[in-house]
Amino acid sequence: MSALQTLAAGVHGSLGSIGYGLAAIGPGVGVGIIFGNGTQALARQPEAAGLIRANQILGFAFCEALALIGLVMPFVYGT
């Protein structure tokens, strides 16, 4: 058994957690982009605040839904 196989066998139980940790980076970046650009849009056009906030909340909900799906998948497909 090679050293790589031994290492892979040692972390077998936590691969789902590692995968979720890496997958959580995407929604985190997405939320940052949404609120960063929303703040810029509010600064440029304050009269459109209602529409901008509605779009921000919708985008935030989609990003967080991806994060929650990523949290559940290791439990669904785990061995």
Side-chain angles (χ1 to χ4, degrees):
M1 193 181 258
S2 72
L4 182 60
Q5 289 173 334
T6 305
L7 179 64
V11 297
H12 181 278
S14 62
L15 286 178
S17 300
I18 293 170
Y20 174 67
L22 293 174
I25 294 170
V29 170
V31 168
I33 290 172
I34 287 168
F35 285 109
N37 288 337
T39 303
Q40 285 182 356
L42 284 171
R44 291 177 187 216
Q45 290 185 328
E47 66 275 1
L51 180 63
I52 293 169
R53 272 199 200 104
N55 287 331
Q56 276 183 318
I57 292 171
L58 186 63
F60 175 74
F62 286 144
C63 282
E64 287 303 312
L66 288 175
L68 291 175
I69 290 170
L71 176 65
V72 172
M73 284 304 121
F75 297 111
V76 171
Y77 294 113
T79 56

